[in-house]
Amino acid sequence: MYTIPIYYPICPFTINYSDYSSRYPYHRFAPPIINTSLMKLNNNIITLWQQHIFWIRAATLSLINNTPDYSFIIERLYKNPIHFEEMLLPIYGKEKSEQFRDLLKEHIILIIHIIEKNKSKNLEAASEVEKAWYTSADKIAHFLSSINPYWNKDEWKNLLHKHLELTKAQTIDIINKYYEISINIFNEIEKVALNISNYMFYGIIYQFPNKYHIQ
């Protein structure tokens, strides 16, 4: 069977894989070879993070422009943490997958509050919610680093903070009707989401090499 090696991706924002492997023991393993379980996990993680950012953008556009599909978009967005829970369940078990689901749902609720406060020009309230939003991201980073030795809390914080920074910028540009700029920002959001996906993927497969048949 023909196999394709997976090489470490380069993250343009925070992760320098040239020295990352010296800090974390990825170098103990040969580069992973694609197999069915790896492909499924990789596809699931990428899909969930891309859906996360897509439905946030859809909710932002709908909420700001008062479109009639808003309730349906929010309903779909709130399914994202549940889908993450389902993906993580066979890997980390019920308790930990539910914890991540709840942390991510809280994070999404805060995003919606930020959109609402910025739309109404209540900047003081928006600033307070934004602080809670960053705290929520830090809680996610802390939780993930506590369940996987290959996930570093500061690396997660850097990735999530970049996601937040760009998501806020996207929100402000949509409010101000700078739609072309907001699309350019969304392109960057997609890149960050892919970096987050890669970081999650590699952490899982190296924590459980036997499960994913890493030689």
Side-chain angles (χ1 to χ4, degrees):
M1 182 180 71
Y2 181 67
T3 55
I4 306 170
I6 302 175
Y7 298 103
Y8 300 125
I10 297 175
C11 170
F13 299 113
T14 58
I15 304 173
N16 182 350
Y17 280 92
S18 63
D19 72 352
Y20 188 82
S21 61
S22 67
R23 289 184 286 139
Y24 305 99
Y26 282 8
H27 64 279
R28 294 185 304 169
F29 306 99
I33 305 300
I34 284 184
N35 57 55
T36 302
S37 61
L38 279 177
M39 288 181 66
K40 182 178 179 181
L41 177 67
N42 192 42
N43 289 342
N44 285 344
I45 292 174
I46 290 173
T47 297
L48 289 175
W49 283 111
Q50 291 297 320
Q51 289 176 346
H52 180 77
I53 63 170
F54 173 83
W55 289 109
I56 287 173
R57 179 174 174 83
T60 304
L61 286 162
S62 181
L63 176 56
I64 291 169
N65 294 305
N66 300 311
T67 62
D69 58 351
Y70 177 70
S71 62
F72 302 106
I73 291 173
I74 286 296
E75 181 181 0
R76 178 58 184 85
L77 176 57
Y78 285 161
K79 288 180 180 177
N80 184 244
I82 297 171
H83 294 160
F84 266 104
E85 176 193 5
E86 292 169 350
M87 187 268 293
L88 294 173
L89 179 61
I91 305 170
Y92 289 105
K94 187 174 186 292
E95 182 180 353
K96 291 175 182 175
S97 60
E98 287 180 351
Q99 282 182 267
F100 183 77
R101 176 202 65 199
D102 293 343
L103 287 168
L104 190 60
K105 184 173 181 179
E106 176 191 38
H107 194 66
I108 290 172
I109 290 170
L110 288 168
I111 292 172
I112 300 304
H113 289 337
I114 285 176
I115 299 167
E116 291 171 340
K117 300 305 181 186
N118 278 287
K119 178 186 177 183
S120 64
K121 306 297 183 182
N122 190 342
L123 300 185
E124 184 176 348
S127 178
E128 289 301 311
V129 177
E130 186 175 338
K131 291 176 185 177
W133 192 32
Y134 274 83
T135 298
S136 170
D138 292 348
K139 285 163 62 177
I140 292 172
H142 176 77
F143 170 73
L144 291 173
S145 67
S146 74
I147 66 172
N148 187 323
Y150 297 95
W151 287 337
N152 178 269
K153 181 172 68 174
D154 289 335
E155 299 285 0
W156 268 117
K157 285 175 68 173
N158 288 338
L159 285 167
L160 293 172
H161 284 197
K162 188 65 181 180
H163 167 61
L164 269 56
E165 174 190 334
L166 290 168
T167 300
K168 178 187 175 183
Q170 173 182 247
T171 299
I172 300 303
D173 284 329
I174 292 173
I175 289 172
N176 291 320
K177 302 188 184 303
Y178 299 149
Y179 295 119
E180 183 177 3
I181 295 174
S182 79
I183 290 171
N184 292 334
I185 290 174
F186 186 71
N187 290 336
E188 298 305 311
I189 292 173
E190 286 183 305
K191 294 175 186 177
V192 174
L194 183 58
N195 290 327
I196 291 172
S197 302
N198 286 332
Y199 192 56
M200 178 172 274
F201 171 73
Y202 280 105
I204 290 173
I205 67 172
Y206 286 115
Q207 186 180 18
F208 304 103
N210 294 332
K211 181 178 179 65
Y212 294 101
H213 312 292
I214 300 174
Q215 302 299 321

